[in-house]
Amino acid sequence: MSHVAFQPRGPRVEIEADFVVVGSGAGGATAAVTLARTGARVAVVESGAWRDPADYPASVYGAMRDMLDAWGSNFTRGRAYWPIVQGNLVGGSTVINSAIAVRTPRDVFERWQREVGVGGDLAPAVWEAQDDIERELCVEEVPPASRGRSNLLAKKGADTLGYEGHFMRRYIRDCRGDGQCLQGCREDRKQSLNRNYMPEVLARGGDVLSCAPASKISFNKQRAVGVVGRFRHPQTKERGAEFQVRARKGVLVAASVTRSPLLLAASGLKNPMLGKGFRAHPGTPVFGVYDDPVDMNTGATQGWASIAHREDPGFKLETLSLPLDMLAGRLSGAGTALMERIGEFRHIAMWVHACRAETVGEVRSTLTGQPAVHYTLDRADMLRFRAAVYLLARTHVAAGARAILPAIHGMPYRLMPDEIDQLKEAPLDPRAYVAILSHLFGGCVMGRDPAMSVCDGRGRVHGRDGLVIVDASAIPSNLGVNPQHTIMALARIWANDLAAA
Amino acid sequence: MIWLIKVAMRAMMPRTAALPGIEDTDLDGFLRRMKRDADFLYWLGLVAGGVVFAISPILTVFVPLPAFLLPRGLLAKHAERVVSHPIYVVRQAAFLVRLSAGMCWGADPKVRARFALAPYAGDPGTFRSS
Ligand SMILES: Cc1cc2nc3c(=O)[nH]c(=O)nc-3n(C[C@H](O)[C@H](O)[C@H](O)COP(=O)(O)OP(=O)(O)OC[C@H]3O[C@@H](n4cnc5c(N)ncnc54)[C@H](O)[C@@H]3O)c2cc1C
Ligand code: SF4
């Protein structure tokens, strides 16, 4: 077993394994541990560094520097420039996410079958895998002591309005509720995959190369036989030694929705569907101002959610605590007005929506080989988006907020409770909002028809042998719920299939 | 270029009677670190934000002077208007400046104490090397 971190220029690092997995996030780490448990020799190649809780940054600046892909500077190319947030370290986005675990709804499988001709048969296996994953990663409901006032207020608001809302179930053991999930859990309570599956891969005799972005998949005729790349220092960005991993049995790709299609294209795949079928759950916050301090950074980062409107009109609601060092970016205004607004920080609760958007975009490559996501929400999605904003405002009012801060360009900064109906007419121009994309899908979508998809219903890339997609890029639709559980279950099933083949 | 960014950040997050401003934090150190660490695209965006802030008073307060030559009151007005400017790219450029300023300001121990928040433990920047 070995972990090989950044290697300066020098002799090429060469490794041989049964399988090589590119990327160690939700999909990659799950696939790797699944294969390792079958007794196979597994190597994982991860472009980011391996950081443990003692290495985690405390500030938002540190998180951008040490944990985010490209400093979070990926953004949608379209009418609006919305940031696309992804992790870039061992454990991938699971290190920076809120660890919310939601099972794949039945209608998702029906939709896949109807629209892309595969996936309808996956439901029982996915749910069984999710049972196992929940046991392994200690999924539990946010404990009462860690709920925090923002989460409790959201529950009260939804109860008052009479719609479903619940305390979340998350991959977290004994959450202390210090609201810092987005910078990694320094308390080591969150079960991000750098803390469990990746160490298990090592313990089972696998190899992990960190600071090691794969640049190409190697083929022998149609068969994927390994990957090559060059180490990159996580701080200085210095380019180090080359590496080559030869894989006797297969290559699994889990470099994320934005990077997997680019890696396949750079490796010579000509499928015109590469990068197509990009989807997301864009979300934006609505703030409530309360008489008593809310102190949203005490309590679980995300502790309450509602899926009551997942099908109609199509969004999910969640609480989300915002660190003080992110606040200036989210409130509008500048100068003394901004400082006065920030002064209310302790009295503010931020709740967000994740819009189940149907708009389809595309991941392309820039001239420098970086991902460029072309994506603009259409009118139908903006109507959903606006409906979610309005409901969040109503929920704040029902929970007792004395004012609402909608953070929409062209709207008043502050709305009194009797003024929130103005949000029914809020702009439908995406440029009026600062939204974030963190739930991403597609780019290497699965499907029955090789002309309309990149891989089949088992993640196997059409027209190639031994090449399997095991991350969110294979997912051909939105889910309407948080994606990590679905991604991990698919990765587990497809990795088991591959091992059995 | 750093001084242009500083002018914009100071105007966006000034000291008030109730709160320290960004000038009360280690802004120079923060920008030096950011220049060294940041992804090229991020830094480019921030520099562009500083430049847009400097040259846009003509669009906001209708004065043909760069922001750094504006008298105090007009500079404050410019800062308020530029972040909500009707031209999207103008306000987006300013958004990145405000976001980055907020990261510096909100991580300062004096500022955090005002909000009953513990000081940050630090960003070790370390990782497993073997
Ligand atoms: C802030 C945030 C909060 C979220 N909260 C939740 C939540 O609470 N619950 C939930 O279900 N989902 C959540 N999500 C979404 C969820 O984390 C992602 O959907 C999921 O992690 C995606 O899995 P993935 O394997 O496709 O990609 P990732 O987890 O992003 O992993 C991809 C990995 O590949 C690596 N990589 C990229 N290119 C290369 C290359 N060329 N060579 C080698 N390695 C490479 C990356 O560094 C990364 O480690 C959140 C996401 C974010 C950003
Ligand atoms: S809320 Fe705090 S203790 Fe709980 S998982 Fe997140 S970072 Fe860890």
Side-chain angles (χ1 to χ4, degrees):
Chain A
M1 73 176 227
S2 69
H3 167 230
V4 184
F6 175 77
Q7 297 295 306
R9 277 174 195 267
R12 183 157 73 176
V13 174
E14 299 196 13
I15 285 184
E16 232 172 277
D18 293 323
F19 298 99
V20 59
V21 183
V22 181
S24 64
T30 309
V33 81
T34 304
L35 290 166
R37 286 176 189 172
T38 67
R41 173 112 197 193
V42 179
V44 180
V45 169
E46 163 57 50
S47 72
W50 191 331
R51 298 184 200 264
D52 295 311
D55 302 312
Y56 292 167
S59 72
V60 171
Y61 174 87
M64 290 177 74
R65 183 192 67 189
D66 296 346
M67 297 178 150
L68 296 196
D69 187 19
W71 263 68
S73 64
N74 270 333
F75 58 88
T76 54
R77 269 73 160 170
R79 260 175 95 71
Y81 311 141
W82 288 347
I84 299 169
V85 186
Q86 292 178 284
N88 175 226
L89 69 172
V90 170
S93 303
T94 73
V95 185
I96 54 166
N97 76 15
S98 303
I100 303 158
V102 187
R103 290 182 161 233
T104 321
R106 180 186 297 278
D107 57 78
V108 167
F109 304 104
E110 292 163 359
R111 178 173 180 181
W112 290 349
Q113 190 62 42
R114 198 172 56 244
E115 293 184 359
V116 298
V118 295
D121 58 340
L122 282 168
V126 164
W127 293 329
E128 199 184 318
Q130 288 173 340
D131 280 339
D132 293 341
I133 291 167
E134 286 177 24
R135 257 193 313 277
E136 290 164 13
L137 300 185
C138 313
V139 169
E140 60 179 31
E141 189 180 273
V142 181
S146 310
R147 285 183 182 161
R149 189 147 184 262
S150 177
N151 297 313
L152 294 170
L153 284 169
K155 175 90 169 66
K156 178 179 163 195
D159 287 349
T160 307
L161 293 180
Y163 70 82
E164 178 276 345
H166 57 273
F167 294 112
M168 291 173 177
R169 299 177 71 241
R170 301 172 308 156
Y171 318 96
I172 297 177
R173 182 186 303 163
D174 299 331
C175 174
R176 293 229 352 220
D178 61 5
Q180 286 252 330
C181 291
L182 304 183
Q183 291 107 299
C185 180
R186 294 159 70 94
E187 301 285 344
D188 206 9
R189 310 294 163 118
K190 182 164 75 174
Q191 302 300 302
S192 47
L193 302 185
N194 56 331
R195 304 298 300 148
N196 34 62
Y197 288 173
M198 291 305 294
E200 187 180 335
V201 170
L202 281 184
R204 290 181 182 274
D207 295 295
V208 178
L209 276 65
S210 64
C211 318
S215 55
K216 268 196 181 106
I217 300 164
S218 335
F219 291 93
N220 182 358
K221 301 203 175 104
Q222 297 307 306
R223 182 161 197 87
V225 293
V227 299
V228 294
R230 194 184 266 284
F231 287 95
R232 190 184 52 206
H233 194 279
Q235 268 156 4
T236 61
K237 310 290 175 242
E238 172 194 341
R239 281 157 61 80
E242 289 178 1
F243 63 83
Q244 175 177 37
V245 183
R246 279 185 291 273
R248 290 180 283 265
K249 297 184 177 169
V251 176
L252 295 89
V253 177
S256 81
V257 163
T258 58
R259 302 219 173 242
S260 290
L262 266 52
L263 178 63
L264 265 58
S267 308
L269 262 80
K270 297 276 183 266
N271 189 325
M273 289 304 291
L274 275 179
K276 301 266 170 57
F278 172 90
R279 292 169 196 260
H281 293 155
T284 201
V286 175
F287 302 90
V289 186
Y290 292 80
D291 285 332
D292 294 325
V294 176
D295 289 327
M296 63 175 148
N297 293 109
T298 54
T301 309
Q302 296 204 265
W304 172 91
S306 167
I307 51 165
H309 307 89
R310 176 180 169 271
E311 283 173 34
D312 183 22
F315 55 74
K316 184 174 185 240
L317 304 182
E318 296 176 343
T319 52
L320 174 59
S321 62
L322 192 70
L324 179 63
D325 34 345
M326 277 291 274
L327 188 70
R330 302 305 311 206
L331 297 181
S332 42
T336 46
L338 175 64
M339 300 310 275
E340 274 163 25
R341 291 165 182 180
I342 291 177
E344 292 189 306
F345 177 65
R346 294 192 61 196
H347 294 259
I348 288 177
M350 181 175 99
W351 302 341
V352 298
H353 70 80
C355 178
R356 192 178 176 190
E358 295 298 343
T359 302
V360 181
E362 185 175 347
V363 183
R364 295 186 205 148
S365 175
T366 63
L367 288 176
T368 56
Q370 296 303 304
V373 174
H374 295 257
Y375 186 69
T376 298
L377 282 202
D378 64 18
R379 188 180 157 80
D381 281 332
M382 285 310 300
L383 287 167
R384 287 189 183 94
F385 196 93
R386 182 169 73 181
V389 166
Y390 179 52
L391 183 58
L392 284 171
R394 285 180 57 216
T395 310
H396 273 302
V397 170
R402 66 163 189 250
I404 304 301
L405 315 178
I408 303 171
H409 177 74
M411 298 282 300
Y413 171 72
R414 181 184 298 264
L415 294 173
M416 291 313 180
D418 59 353
E419 294 172 332
I420 61 168
D421 280 357
Q422 290 181 37
L423 290 170
K424 286 199 228 168
E425 300 303 322
L428 292 175
D429 183 341
R431 293 173 300 183
Y433 299 83
V434 179
I436 282 194
L437 278 64
S438 60
H439 297 176
L440 317 174
F441 311 98
C444 302
V445 293
M446 63 169 151
R448 191 162 46 92
D449 180 356
M452 298 302 292
S453 56
V454 173
C455 60
D456 68 11
R458 287 292 190 259
R460 294 171 300 209
V461 173
H462 297 301
R464 301 282 167 150
D465 297 324
L467 183 60
V468 179
I469 309 292
V470 287
D471 63 6
S473 69
I475 295 179
S477 69
N478 62 41
L479 302 177
V481 295
N482 314 62
Q484 182 180 334
H485 222 23
T486 302
I487 298 163
M488 288 199 294
L490 291 175
R492 174 148 296 180
I493 297 164
W494 294 347
N496 271 326
D497 284 354
L498 190 61
Chain B
M1 283 301 166
I2 285 191
W3 69 275
L4 270 187
I5 301 171
K6 267 168 55 180
V7 170
M9 287 183 164
R10 285 205 183 117
M12 284 189 192
M13 302 196 76
R15 184 186 304 146
T16 63
L19 286 172
I22 198 161
E23 68 236 63
D24 301 310
T25 68
D26 179 19
L27 181 56
D28 284 320
F30 176 82
L31 287 173
R32 265 198 312 273
R33 280 198 305 281
M34 192 171 240
K35 185 174 180 206
R36 184 192 62 208
D37 297 340
D39 184 82
F40 176 71
L41 201 58
Y42 190 98
W43 181 251
L44 193 69
L46 191 57
V47 170
V51 172
V52 168
F53 187 87
I55 62 173
S56 55
I58 189 74
L59 300 175
T60 55
V61 288
F62 315 111
V63 174
L65 281 177
F68 50 84
L69 292 182
L70 291 178
R72 215 180 222 298
L74 220 47
L75 179 64
K77 203 174 267 177
H78 169 57
E80 266 174 45
R81 292 189 182 165
V82 78
V83 294
S84 56
H85 197 271
I87 300 176
Y88 184 57
V89 285
V90 171
R91 66 175 188 271
Q92 277 304 106
F95 167 78
L96 197 59
V97 176
R98 194 180 54 186
L99 176 77
S100 308
M103 285 197 277
C104 172
W105 183 85
D108 186 275
K110 294 185 293 297
V111 172
R112 297 182 66 74
R114 296 289 179 102
F115 294 93
L117 293 168
Y120 271 147
D123 300 330
T126 47
F127 54 93
R128 278 194 200 187
S129 55
S130 60

